[in-house]
Amino acid sequence: MTREKPRILLFGHNGQVAWELRRSLATLGEVVTAGVDGAQHPLDLRDAAALDRLVHELRPRLMVNAAAYTAVDQAESEPELAWRLNAEVVGELGRLGAALDCPVLHYSTDYVFSGEGDVPWKENDEPDPRSVYGKSKLAGEQALLSSRADCLILRTAWVYGGRGRNFLLTMQRLFRERDSLGVVADQYGAPTWSRMIAEASAQLLAQCRLDDGGFSFGEHREEIFHLSSEGQASWYDFARTILEAGEEDCDLRPLTTAEYPTAAARPAYSVLNNNRLWQVWGIRLPDWREALALCLEEQG
Ligand SMILES: NC(=O)c1ccc[n+]([C@@H]2O[C@H](COP(=O)([O-])OP(=O)(O)OC[C@H]3O[C@@H](n4cnc5c(N)ncnc54)[C@H](OP(=O)(O)O)[C@@H]3O)[C@@H](O)[C@H]2O)c1
């Protein structure tokens, strides 16, 4: 088997998942990043022509899209920008991937679901997003799946990590600043460490190698897989576990969603069923508490 080191074009550089992917994908090829904040190739994804030029110039063997508009509440007042980044760009990546015979790995969200019920959502359950963010991400999924690109979508959830804007770092800051804090206790999901998403992505991609060093999702092209921690938590459970692991003292109170109004409606129950990822790829993330403990251990 001859193997060149394939070029992997990663959209995103300093985002939570992108930052980890730069490390995890480095064993699989030459990772080059495109983005707005320090990336090797400066690229504002609002510019469709620049995206087209860059992909034609770099001729990657794989594109991994970890770029997105992720400000869930802000999206309600900036729907055009959310739609551009989460829907249109993803369709363009699909078209470029199909035209240049370059597979596309893309990330989506548990917020494509309504949040009704209390059974973990499967890949083929009907999406019914209730927010601009969720609707734009669903439109991105559909645009990619109809592009005829060799593509695969990983839906993840409640992403946190040691960098970027996330619930873990926000809670740790608030515990230092405040004596008491209310946190929503009636929304359930699975807190998922960005490191685990990146590691699992690399393990999946390692199973998709072609003899010439490129990649193909083969019989699983155009499929969606759920990729989140095992177990489930409310934001309050997540916050309490963070508090108990630290040294700060804070009076933590459970709130209802009605007591904590936000611009965007969030699903009450968006836990994902990850069984297919295990059945097809032999990959299963640990329980959210176990992963959180590992992440906190690294923070020291
Ligand atoms: N955060 C969550 O809780 C969550 C939950 C479920 C699913 N997801 C999905 O997981 C994926 C990764 O999310 P994340 O939490 O890692 O996101 P993030 O930390 O908010 O990072 C966003 C990324 O998007 C890039 N980006 C934003 N605007 C851009 C623009 N105009 N041009 C080029 N790049 C732009 C940024 O690029 P730079 O690095 O260059 O700044 C950054 O890498 C996304 O698909 C997201 O929808 C996230």
Side-chain angles (χ1 to χ4, degrees):
M1 189 183 296
T2 51
R3 274 190 178 166
E4 295 167 20
K5 205 168 185 200
R7 179 172 290 158
I8 301 173
L9 176 53
L10 171 63
F11 294 95
H13 183 82
N14 271 323
Q16 297 191 78
V17 175
W19 195 82
E20 295 288 355
L21 282 169
R22 278 159 57 202
R23 284 144 187 80
S24 302
L25 301 183
T27 52
L28 294 171
E30 176 207 4
V31 180
V32 293
T33 61
V36 282
D37 181 15
Q40 280 122 309
H41 297 276
L43 173 71
D44 188 332
L45 283 166
R46 285 175 291 186
D47 184 345
L51 169 62
D52 191 275
R53 267 197 310 277
L54 185 71
V55 174
H56 277 91
E57 178 193 319
L58 291 176
R59 293 275 171 166
R61 299 297 306 274
L62 173 70
M63 293 191 279
V64 179
N65 183 30
Y69 182 107
T70 58
V72 176
D73 288 316
Q74 213 173 314
E76 299 294 316
S77 53
E78 282 187 325
E80 294 85 9
L81 185 54
W83 204 265
R84 167 72 203 148
L85 294 174
N86 292 344
E88 289 174 11
V89 162
V90 186
E92 283 156 23
L93 291 179
R95 282 191 291 281
L96 286 162
L100 299 177
D101 198 17
C102 173
V104 181
L105 177 66
H106 173 67
Y107 297 91
S108 190
T109 173
D110 56 333
Y111 281 16
V112 298
F113 293 114
S114 68
E116 285 163 8
D118 56 6
V119 179
W121 296 90
K122 292 186 181 164
E123 287 82 351
N124 57 5
D125 285 335
E126 196 61 43
D128 182 12
R130 302 293 167 90
S131 62
V132 168
Y133 170 74
K135 287 177 185 162
S136 67
K137 292 293 293 183
L138 177 61
E141 291 183 358
Q142 291 165 343
L144 182 58
L145 294 176
S146 59
S147 69
R148 298 183 176 273
D150 183 347
C151 62
L152 190 132
I153 297 171
L154 296 171
R155 282 194 194 129
T156 189
W158 294 33
V159 180
Y160 70 90
R163 297 168 62 93
R165 278 177 33 167
N166 64 65
F167 187 85
L168 167 64
L169 298 183
T170 301
M171 285 300 119
Q172 288 178 324
R173 175 174 55 77
L174 291 175
F175 294 154
R176 286 192 296 274
E177 293 173 358
R178 299 209 195 157
D179 295 330
S180 75
L181 189 67
V183 178
V184 171
D186 59 0
Q187 289 169 23
Y188 291 88
T192 304
W193 185 13
S194 49
R195 170 82 46 85
M196 297 278 173
I197 297 169
E199 292 286 326
S201 302
Q203 285 169 20
L204 186 155
L205 287 166
Q207 298 178 46
C208 300
R209 298 304 289 252
L210 297 172
D211 285 353
D212 67 357
F215 298 86
S216 171
F217 297 113
E219 61 178 305
H220 298 296
R221 62 183 279 168
E222 298 171 32
E223 287 190 16
I224 297 174
F225 289 87
H226 288 172
L227 165 63
S228 63
S229 289
E230 290 300 298
Q232 64 181 51
S234 68
W235 293 112
Y236 175 81
D237 297 329
F238 190 13
R240 176 149 295 287
T241 309
I242 296 165
L243 179 67
E244 286 171 359
E247 285 166 10
E248 313 296 335
D249 206 8
C250 186
D251 176 25
L252 200 60
R253 290 168 291 109
L255 298 179
T256 63
T257 298
E259 288 172 312
Y260 188 80
T262 51
R266 286 169 169 72
Y269 188 89
S270 63
V271 178
L272 300 176
N273 178 324
N274 305 298
N275 287 345
R276 252 195 113 237
L277 190 78
W278 174 245
Q279 284 155 7
V280 172
W281 303 101
I283 297 168
R284 196 190 277 292
L285 300 196
D287 184 87
W288 70 270
R289 288 176 193 275
E290 204 181 311
L292 176 62
L294 290 168
C295 178
L296 292 172
E297 199 178 325
E298 184 171 78
Q299 278 185 330

